[in-house]
Amino acid sequence: MHPQAHLLWKAPRWALAVLLAVLGMLGPFSIDTYIPAFSGIAAALGATPVQMQQTLSAYLFGFAFMSLFHGALADSFGRRPVILWGIAVFTLASAGCALSQTIGQLVFFRALQGLSTGAGIVVSRAVIRDMFPPAQAQKVMSQVTIYFGVAPAIAPIVGGWLFVHTGWHSIFWFLTLVGVALWTTNYRLLPETLHLDQRQPFNMRHLVRGYVQLGSSARFVLLALASGVPFNGMFLYVLSAPAFLGDHLGLAPTQFFWFFVLTISGIMGGAWLSGRLAGRIPPKRQIRHGFLIMFTVAVLNLVANLLFPPHAAWALLPIAVFAFGWALMVPVVTLLVLDLHPERRGMASSMQAFVGSTANGLVAGVIAPLVMHSTLWLALSSLLMMGVGLVAWVYLHHRWPDIGRNAVNL
């Protein structure tokens, strides 16, 4: 934590949470905004469904790769310059997407977007821990998750409206304007939260030593799996939204927002409760509650898809409840990750993001295309991905029973 954190930000705590949440939600916003336009982009560029899926995979793999470096750069050069450069590159990449004339060009610029948007998500987590002690950090992390949830709910509505009224190019011009606004706002308001004494030398030997230290830590790997992989239990449905919502549930693109509103409401509700529980119950109990909710609803979702034909009247609710369970536990797990190695919080955030986004990329590029044709397979895949995180947490809990036992261990 920065020794003079109270002097760096004198506005209300919620205002900093909003600023950091906007940084974090830039990534999902740039995904969810253009999903309603999938069919229109494919028709305009002569792209196949597999090629369109590659625009998601390129973004997610670009995000995963660069996530390894955003945190390390932020540990060496400071949080502020990494965020500002990331937003600048995202803005240029968004303009490139808008100007794309072929599917290959679109895939390239989507990859460039992915390479840049991770800066906001990765570094904002480190900023929170720079600025706040453990219990307050959990509350702020929960607030960030709440505000973070607003964007994916709004994004498909905005994207669907822009696509219907002004064409798919306007979606990426809109993201360009968002990038300009974010860069200007952060240039004016975001403080540098990394103290000079806490900066790490930037050289290859030091970086490799840090990656080896984190990558060889069983506790770190298990926590990263517990936080990152279960997210795909609901993200799979986001990636499969054109098929799940349009083909299986018979919803029009302008009706997709119901899915996102319900899911994000679940995220916001779980994050709100997580903040309310900060310092009141042991973190490990809160994590257990989150996994219990996810496991129960994932099993019920699988059973429902076995017994009943898919229908919007019931098929959207399990995903929202799953999102609630995930948001209840993920702020706590994230702080446990960041505090395993306090001197390398930026790198820890990077590695955590790398694990999660690599899983996201595999789901987008491999799993989603294989299972999106069947609601039963979607439900089974969701349960299995949640199971990976659950097994990681159960093993971690038994191997190191003291982790997360009380609030001071955050």
Side-chain angles (χ1 to χ4, degrees), residues 28-57:
F29 196 87
S30 64
I31 293 175
D32 298 337
T33 307
Y34 92 123
I35 283 180
F38 253 44
S39 58
I41 297 174
L45 300 182
T48 66
V50 173
Q51 288 175 319
M52 285 304 302
Q53 202 70 26
Q54 288 174 351
T55 65
L56 276 173
S57 300

Side-chain angles (χ1 to χ4, degrees), residues 14-314:
W14 64 263
L16 179 59
V18 170
L19 182 64
L20 297 176
V22 172
L23 285 172
M25 68 191 186
L26 182 61
F29 196 87
S30 64
I31 293 175
D32 298 337
T33 307
Y34 92 123
I35 283 180
F38 253 44
S39 58
I41 297 174
L45 300 182
T48 66
V50 173
Q51 288 175 319
M52 285 304 302
Q53 202 70 26
Q54 288 174 351
T55 65
L56 276 173
S57 300
Y59 175 91
L60 293 169
F61 280 118
F63 180 97
F65 172 77
M66 197 60 198
S67 290
L68 285 172
F69 302 99
H70 287 309
L73 291 169
D75 283 342
S76 298
F77 301 109
R79 317 303 193 200
R80 180 180 161 89
V82 175
I83 287 176
L84 291 176
W85 274 105
I87 297 173
V89 174
F90 169 82
T91 303
L92 295 175
S94 298
C97 290
L99 296 171
S100 295
Q101 301 298 313
T102 67
I103 188 63
Q105 293 173 359
L106 183 60
V107 169
F108 171 79
F109 285 112
R110 286 289 292 167
L112 192 58
Q113 278 187 322
L115 288 169
S116 57
T117 51
I121 297 174
V122 169
V123 182
S124 62
R125 293 173 181 168
V127 170
I128 291 173
R129 200 57 186 89
D130 289 341
M131 293 290 289
F132 300 102
Q136 289 187 29
Q138 183 183 337
K139 293 180 180 179
V140 175
M141 192 76 74
S142 299
Q143 289 176 343
V144 166
T145 306
I146 292 174
Y147 300 131
F148 167 88
V150 174
I154 297 175
I157 302 174
V158 174
W161 189 90
L162 289 172
F163 171 60
V164 170
H165 293 284
T166 56
W168 69 268
H169 295 279
S170 64
I171 295 174
F172 293 106
W173 284 124
F174 172 74
L175 291 176
T176 304
L177 293 177
V178 169
V180 172
L182 277 181
W183 191 93
T184 303
T185 301
N186 281 274
Y187 180 79
R188 292 179 177 179
L189 300 179
L190 184 69
E192 178 53 67
T193 63
L194 181 67
H195 195 270
L196 289 175
D197 293 341
Q198 297 171 328
R199 300 200 175 194
Q200 302 291 318
F202 188 78
N203 59 67
M204 189 55 63
R205 180 177 298 178
H206 182 78
L207 286 179
V208 171
R209 189 184 305 119
Y211 289 130
V212 170
Q213 180 185 16
L214 292 176
S216 60
S217 168
R219 286 189 298 173
F220 174 84
V221 173
L222 290 168
L223 283 169
L225 289 174
S227 64
V229 180
F231 172 77
N232 286 282
M234 62 176 173
F235 192 50
L236 173 65
Y237 283 95
V238 175
L239 295 169
S240 305
F244 176 62
L245 301 175
D247 299 339
H248 299 306
L249 302 185
L251 299 178
T254 52
Q255 296 175 307
F256 284 13
F257 77 94
W258 288 112
F259 165 70
F260 291 98
V261 166
L262 286 172
T263 302
I264 301 309
S265 295
I267 292 177
M268 294 173 70
W272 176 83
L273 182 58
S274 178
R276 295 287 293 177
L277 294 175
R280 299 186 179 185
I281 67 172
K284 66 192 313 179
R285 186 186 302 174
Q286 187 170 325
I287 296 170
R288 183 172 68 241
H289 292 343
F291 272 114
L292 179 61
I293 292 170
M294 287 189 290
F295 176 77
T296 303
V297 75
V299 171
L300 291 176
N301 186 40
L302 179 62
V303 172
N305 278 279
L306 280 168
L307 299 178
F308 307 107
H311 193 280
W314 64 264

Side-chain angles (χ1 to χ4, degrees), residues 343-363:
E343 75 284 0
R344 297 185 186 274
R345 285 199 177 102
M347 183 176 287
S349 183
S350 276
M351 291 282 283
Q352 182 189 28
F354 174 77
V355 172
S357 55
T358 299
N360 297 347
L362 290 172
V363 171

